[in-house]
Every structure is written in structure tokens, then in C-alpha cells.
Amino acid sequence: MAAGGDWWYLGVDLSTQQVKGMVIDDNLNVIHETNVKFDDDLPEFGTQNGVQVQSDKLTITTPVLLWVKALDLLLERMKAANLDFSKLKSLSGSGQQHGSVYWKEGANQTLKNMTADRSLHQILESSFSVKDSPVWMDSSTTEECRQLEKCAGGPQKLADITGSRAYERFTGNQIAKINKKYPEEYKKTERISLVSSFVASIFLGNYAAIDYSDGSGMNLMDIRAHEWSQQCLNACAPGLKEKLGDPLPSHSILGSISPYFVKRFGFSSECKVIAFTGDNPASLAGMRLQQGDIAVSLGTSDTVFLWIEDPRPTLQGHIFCNPVKSNAYMALICFKNGSLTRERIRDESGSVSWDGFTKAMKATSPGNDGNLGFYFDVMEITPSAIGVHRFNGQNCKVSEFSKEIEVRAVVESQALAKRAYAEKLGYKVLKGTRVLATGGASTNLDILQVLADVFNAPVYTIDTANSACLGCAYRAKHGLEAVLGQSFANSVKMAASPKLAVNPICEADKIYCPIVARYQELEKLVRNRS
Ligand code: 5FX
């Protein structure tokens, strides 16, 4: 056991394409990081970019046992790196939002009796009633969405209760589909977890509560009352309240770690498990977002999020409970065509690397000579639209751009969408606004330059692109201090401040202000739904 004062905290993030682990010490320094990449490290599951696209192209799933095996591997890698698990005072984590896991009758008994001589994968092999978990990229539940909105009295009424109108990927609609399509499997389901609370359940050796923040991404929770809305539950599936368990504040201590991890990896039996949350809420914590800042996460999905105190849900974007402050909220906008689209354009432009991509981008100038594109390789969430649509400076549709124009067009288009939708949520870029960038692509300064120019605001980054994982390590520490009345901001005040990455060019506003307006006009021509 570690001497007092010398404690460590673990954050785990199970995202779309990988699971990551990060350990920080008492001074909030990162002392260990490791990851497992689903496609490369677990090829036996045959996923592409972490998921399976079913034949209808709308249903998108990941085998739940892949996630279990990935956790086995992550812990084995930490052990192989000689991480001293006994120094961990607490742990927390996050998961890709909205995805759901269906535990079969009897699974909780299995979780409570895990024996250290077997891997998690061996132990939990037959613990799930649905083998392929729906994930956030799924867009197969339009029918269920319309039904839920009808039962709630319309899309705005549903948004007033749950923070969002009905979205295909939101868990309530996914559960409704599972109940309709696989009624026997649904009946045999003892518990439904989010990806976040599923991982927490494994560490706890017992079903873990869904936290308020990730629970807000289900179209099922009353975000002001912090409890399930019976009206929404009834509209989705029978007996849902029991299968979900009661939601809890995001900083809750769920209990001590399962004896399985004490015996197999040498964790302290005192190590506490703090409620897990969604990856975007965890990123908000990792970036120590403040009111007035705007966060942009550039990952498999691109997201924009803001800290808000007064929630006013609309038909655009989502309002979630804030993961680090009770009675505060966060607004979020999610764009499905993020890094995979950037990578496709990079590959098709003949650039074998990001160097080639940025070289192509530098051959054009801000504003791209009026050329503007929309790149929705898969059905986009914001806006509801699909396909690639290119317009020249005269607003005429064209079928091709040169490779240089194409590269800039995808980066500009993604940044324009972020600004346009942040403004629709009521956000105003003011003097002193900071854009905080995170996610894999936030290490690319040329992409950040376009972001700075389009927002006409400086872009800051933190030392790690893994802000979700870092946020969970911070939350692990704060969970223990919250019971003593400590605020999250105070718990992490020693952490390094975000660093300035790029400033906007002088003529940024003049160039991009009219283009944001033009983007919104042209977007109307490519949208499926008004
Ligand atoms: C947010 O609403 C999303 O659907 C995505 O950003 C997922 O959380 C990605 F993991």
C-alpha cells in the first residue's frame, strides 16, 4: 500500500475505436498512459473503425465481448508496464455516449462472483442477452423517434423534458427497437447499461448506476428533476425503470473495486469506483472548461460543447446535465462525419500522411476562393443530410474540386458548421472567447488555424489530446473530495492551464463572417429535414 499523500488516480475511456487508460498522481501529473485499438489489437471481431455496419447501412453495432476483451488487454498492458495498481486510490471512466449493453438474467451474480484465475472475457462470455450493442453511429430508429416525440406531445415537449428532441442514436429509441425486434432477448434482460456504466459495473463487480450527465443522452431522463421520465419510459419499452436502475450524480462514489481486480492485478481493496460518464462530459472535465469558453473535440465524431447555467432546450443540439457541477448544464452539438471523413479526403488526395494533407491545404488560401463543400459520408446528425455536395464561388453545384481545394473545403466546411450551429444554440463569439480544442486532430496546427479563423478567436489546447481520459482521472480524484464539500474546480486547480496554439489571422472576420452566412443558405439545399 502506498504511503499517505502518494496516491494515484486512474481514468479509463472506452471510445469508438479504442480503450485508453491514464494514471495521474496527487499533483495531477500524467504518469502512465496506454491503449488498446479495437481493429488492430482484436482483429478476430472483424470490426472496421471499431464498429460493424449491418446490411441496412443504418444499424451500427459493436460486439460487447470485444469491449470486455479490450479491458482484459488494457489491464494486462498496464501490468506489463509494471504499473503499481496498489497506489490507485480511486478510478473513474467514460464511454462513447448513447450506446447500450444488455445484461442477461443472472449476470449480476456472475459480476459479484468473478474469480481471479479467469479473464473477464471468459467470465462474462454468456452474460449478455444482446451480443451486438447499438452504438452512437446508429441511425436506424427513425420510426421509434417519431413515436416517442408523439407520446411526449411533440419534439419541443420532448426536448423540454429530456434536453433533446428524439435522435436515432439516443438510448431510449435504441431500447424501443430492441424490444420490438427481439422481444425474447429484451424479456431476458436483467439490466441495461450505457457503455460508461457497463465498464463501471465490471470494475465494481455489481451493476453500476447511470450518471446524470451520460443519462441525459437517452431521451429518457428529466434533466431538471434528475430522474427518469415515466412518460418517456412508457413510450419506449415495458419494465424499463427496473432495468435501468436509478440515476446518480456524476461525482458519486459507487463503492470499492471488485475483489477480482485486487487479486488479479494488485489493486488496493480500498480503491473506490466513482460513477463513469459520457466521453464528451468527461472531456469537459479534462479541459476544465469555464463558462464563456467553447470546446471543440475533433475525433471519430466532432463535437462542440459549452458550459451553461440556464438550460433552454431547442430542436438543435442537446442539453446534458453538467458532469462537474450540480444544477449546471452543458450544451452539445455532435457531427458524425469527423475524423473518418478527414482521413478519407487525405487518402483520396494522394497524401499518404497528414504532412501531405496540410501541404495541399497551404496551396490554397482562407476562404478557398469561394469554393465550399459539404462532406457527409454517412447520414449526418447535424444537419440530417447525406452525400458530398460541392459549390463553386457562384453557388453552382460542381462535381469535383482539385485535390488542394478539396482538402481545404473539408476542413473549412467542418469548422463553419461548428460556428453556425454554436450560434444557433445562442452562443456568441465575443472578445476574450477561447476555443479549447481536443481529440486526435487537435494536434494538427493547420486544422486548428482554420478553426481559429472561422471563429475569429484564439485556439487553446491542453497537453494531451485524450481529454476524456484525463477528465476521468480528475473526476476520480474529485469524487473522493466531493464528499468533503470540495468543488471540482478546486480539486483540479493545480492542473496546467490550456496553452495558446494559434491566433486568428487579422482578416479572419472579414473573410469568414459572410461565408458562415453562405454556408447556412447552401446547407438548406442539401438537408433532408428542415
Ligand atoms: C455525442 O452525442 C455522440 O454521439 C458522440 O460524440 C459519441 O459520444 C462519441 F463517442
Side-chain angles (χ1 to χ4, degrees):
M1 173 87 58
D6 191 14
W7 288 106
W8 296 347
Y9 307 89
L10 169 65
V12 174
D13 174 49
L14 198 155
S15 61
T16 317
Q17 305 195 49
Q18 57 183 315
V19 58
K20 296 166 236 159
M22 184 182 281
V23 177
I24 58 167
D25 64 15
D26 260 337
N27 297 319
L28 309 176
N29 297 314
V30 176
I31 53 171
H32 177 84
E33 261 184 281
T34 192
N35 65 47
V36 171
K37 297 214 160 78
F38 302 152
D39 295 359
D40 296 344
D41 293 321
L42 297 163
E44 63 273 33
F45 290 94
T47 52
Q48 240 189 329
N49 302 313
V51 301
Q52 306 158 317
V53 180
Q54 309 292 344
S55 52
D56 63 358
K57 300 257 190 291
L58 299 173
T59 305
I60 306 199
T61 55
T62 297
V64 60
L65 286 174
L66 175 153
W67 291 334
V68 174
K69 220 170 175 182
L71 284 172
D72 276 326
L73 202 51
L74 184 79
L75 288 157
E76 290 301 340
R77 285 187 178 168
M78 289 179 157
K79 191 169 154 184
N82 291 323
L83 182 78
D84 183 354
F85 290 96
S86 76
K87 287 185 152 194
L88 293 169
K89 194 171 187 185
S90 58
L91 66 91
S92 188
S94 59
Q96 47 175 293
Q97 297 199 257
H98 321 294
S100 42
V101 171
Y102 299 78
W103 298 92
K104 200 156 77 189
E105 280 163 356
N108 208 25
Q109 271 314 104
T110 308
L111 280 173
K112 286 180 180 165
N113 295 312
M114 298 192 289
T115 50
D117 55 337
R118 302 172 75 211
S119 67
L120 293 169
H121 181 250
Q122 286 167 331
I123 297 171
L124 298 173
E125 209 165 12
S126 47
S127 291
F128 303 98
S129 46
V130 175
K131 291 193 171 41
D132 294 322
S133 281
V135 298
W136 68 273
M137 295 170 104
D138 186 288
S139 47
S140 66
T141 63
T142 306
E143 215 176 278
E144 287 78 7
C145 286
R146 296 297 80 82
Q147 172 66 18
L148 177 58
E149 287 179 345
K150 198 165 147 217
C151 291
Q156 183 59 50
K157 286 257 162 58
L158 181 66
D160 291 340
I161 303 169
T162 70
S164 307
R165 70 175 298 171
Y167 281 87
E168 278 78 357
R169 69 194 193 286
F170 274 44
T171 328
N173 309 304
Q174 294 292 337
I175 296 172
K177 177 183 158 190
I178 297 273
N179 174 49
K180 230 190 311 178
K181 225 173 149 197
Y182 311 107
E184 282 315 307
E185 283 81 350
Y186 181 78
K187 262 192 219 129
K188 283 192 206 126
T189 300
E190 181 173 86
R191 180 79 169 216
I192 301 174
S193 294
L194 290 177
V195 177
S196 55
S197 61
F198 147 75
V199 183
S201 302
I202 293 180
F203 279 109
L204 195 61
N206 199 350
Y207 291 145
I210 290 173
D211 78 296
Y212 292 162
S213 196
D214 209 13
S216 318
M218 301 172 78
N219 274 148
L220 293 178
M221 202 181 82
D222 181 327
I223 56 162
R224 289 185 181 79
H226 301 117
E227 57 191 33
W228 302 124
S229 149
Q230 196 57 53
Q231 191 185 4
C232 297
L233 296 178
N234 291 348
C236 289
L240 198 43
K241 199 167 187 196
E242 293 68 41
K243 291 188 202 290
L244 293 173
D246 290 336
L248 283 183
S250 307
H251 60 257
S252 306
I253 300 179
L254 300 177
S256 297
I257 194 163
S258 154
Y260 173 86
F261 297 95
V262 177
K263 293 203 192 86
R264 194 168 166 100
F265 297 101
F267 278 83
S268 154
S269 57
E270 309 275 289
C271 176
K272 297 286 183 266
V273 179
I274 310 302
F276 281 36
T277 192
D279 52 1
N280 292 296
S283 272
L284 177 145
M287 289 192 277
R288 297 188 300 142
L289 197 81
Q290 292 166 15
Q291 207 170 356
D293 294 337
I294 180 160
V296 173
S297 173
L298 303 167
T300 310
S301 65
D302 282 358
T303 55
V304 170
F305 45 91
L306 313 167
W307 176 296
I308 49 173
E309 298 279 340
D310 179 21
R312 292 182 195 193
T314 64
L315 298 184
Q316 312 278 354
H318 318 297
I319 306 285
F320 295 159
C321 293
N322 191 299
V324 297
K325 190 177 168 222
S326 310
N327 297 325
Y329 293 84
M330 67 182 277
L332 179 126
I333 313 161
C334 180
F335 304 89
K336 204 193 274 182
N337 294 279
S339 65
L340 299 179
T341 304
R342 287 187 286 275
E343 283 161 23
R344 177 183 69 75
I345 302 284
R346 177 198 63 192
D347 298 345
E348 287 178 6
S349 71
S351 318
V352 278
S353 64
W354 288 111
D355 285 353
F357 182 88
T358 51
K359 205 164 141 211
M361 203 157 85
K362 281 196 171 119
T364 54
S365 43
N368 218 3
D369 280 331
N371 297 296
L372 203 155
F374 296 84
Y375 297 84
F376 307 134
D377 289 347
V378 289
M379 177 59 86
E380 180 49 68
I381 297 165
T382 320
S384 171
I386 190 158
V388 174
H389 311 272
R390 301 178 184 87
F391 296 89
N392 65 16
Q394 289 72 49
N395 292 344
C396 295
K397 264 200 149 187
V398 291
S399 57
E400 263 179 47
F401 282 155
S402 71
K403 95 175 181 196
E404 289 80 9
I405 291 179
E406 185 93 317
V407 163
R408 177 172 286 279
V410 71
V411 177
E412 287 194 345
S413 161
Q414 291 182 336
L416 289 163
K418 290 177 181 78
R419 174 148 186 189
Y421 278 93
E423 288 183 344
K424 278 189 194 176
L425 273 186
Y427 188 79
K428 288 195 181 54
V429 178
L430 301 170
K431 217 172 167 2
T433 290
R434 297 189 307 174
V435 178
L436 302 188
T438 183
S442 67
T443 54
N444 185 320
L445 287 182
D446 298 284
I447 292 180
L448 296 191
Q449 185 64 57
V450 172
L451 201 59
D453 295 344
V454 168
F455 276 87
N456 192 27
V459 174
Y460 290 75
T461 53
I462 54 172
D463 276 344
T464 172
N466 283 341
S467 55
C469 222
L470 181 66
C472 291
Y474 287 170
R475 291 191 330 100
K477 178 171 184 284
H478 174 240
L480 300 180
E481 294 164 3
V483 284
L484 308 170
Q486 177 88 284
S487 69
F488 177 78
N490 245 332
S491 266
V492 298
K493 64 173 187 286
M494 272 146 51
S497 299
K499 292 193 189 85
L500 178 66
V502 284
N503 265 312
I505 54 173
C506 321
E507 62 279 28
D509 213 31
K510 214 167 107 213
I511 298 174
Y512 284 107
C513 241
I515 304 182
V516 177
R518 209 178 131 224
Y519 177 93
Q520 288 171 313
E521 281 308 304
L522 290 174
E523 196 215 59
K524 291 184 190 149
L525 305 177
V526 307
R527 269 199 313 236
N528 291 349
R529 180 172 75 192
S530 54

